[in-house]
Amino acid sequence: MRQLALFLLACCLALPTLGAEAARQNRQEQFGELTVHYNAITSSILQPGIAKAAGLMRSKNLGVLNVAVEKAGKSYAAAISGTVSGPDGKKERLTFTQVTEQGAVSYVTQFQIPQDATYTFDLSIKAAGDTNRLSFDQELFPGDS
C-alpha cells in the first residue's frame, strides 16, 4: 500500500504539463495555508498491483484524477467533489475515494476518456473550514498506453 501512496503522490507532483501557464507547471494550487496537488493520467499506465490496491480499473479509455491536500507540508484531509468535461462539453460527475497510507492522504477518481483531447476539471475542495474552487485543463491521450 505504501507503494500505491508514493506512486499516486508522484503522479501529482512529477508528470509534465503541456501548454499550462508557468504557475501551474507543478500541478499545484495554493489556497492560503493549503497546497492542492493534482494530476490526471490514463489508467492503463498504472501497474496492475497499484491499480488493484486502489480499487482502480486499468483501461486506455479511463482516466485517473489524483488530488492531495497539504497544510504546513503535511498531508491534510479534505472533501473533494467535481466534474470533468471533454471536447463534447458534456460534464461527468466525479466521485472521489480517499486513499490513506502511513499518514499520507490522497483522493482518486476515474472518468471516461474516449479520445485524445483536452479535458476540463472543475473541483470543489473543502478543507480547513473553507471551500475552494479549482479549475484546470489537462490533455489526455487514451491510445498511448
Side-chain angles (χ1 to χ4, degrees):
M1 206 51 183
R2 178 167 167 68
Q3 183 182 21
L4 168 66
L6 291 174
F7 177 79
L8 293 174
L9 186 57
C11 285
C12 274
L13 301 175
L15 289 177
T17 302
L18 301 173
E21 63 271 16
R24 289 189 165 186
Q25 285 184 354
N26 291 329
R27 288 301 199 195
Q28 68 181 32
E29 192 75 29
Q30 195 73 35
F31 297 104
E33 295 180 343
L34 297 177
T35 303
V36 177
H37 301 275
Y38 56 91
N39 200 27
I41 59 172
T42 304
S43 67
S44 59
I45 70 169
L46 293 172
Q47 294 178 3
I50 290 173
K52 184 177 180 180
L56 300 171
M57 291 180 53
R58 295 177 71 242
S59 169
K60 68 179 185 175
N61 294 110
L62 283 176
V64 175
L65 175 60
N66 182 32
V67 179
V69 178
E70 292 181 344
K71 183 175 180 181
K74 295 187 179 187
S75 188
Y76 197 81
I80 315 287
S81 61
T83 60
V84 60
S85 57
D88 63 1
K90 184 178 175 186
K91 290 188 177 190
E92 179 182 344
R93 181 172 299 279
L94 300 172
T95 302
F96 288 84
T97 301
Q98 181 176 312
V99 177
T100 305
E101 177 58 33
Q102 296 184 348
V105 178
S106 63
Y107 302 88
V108 296
T109 187
Q110 289 199 276
F111 55 94
Q112 298 290 320
I113 49 171
Q115 66 188 50
D116 293 3
T118 299
Y119 292 81
T120 300
F121 298 86
D122 293 303
L123 304 179
S124 174
I125 300 138
K126 295 179 184 177
D130 292 323
T131 299
N132 296 288
R133 304 258 180 235
L134 173 62
S135 183
F136 67 95
D137 297 331
Q138 190 160 337
E139 286 183 285
L140 294 167
F141 306 95
D144 285 353
S145 300

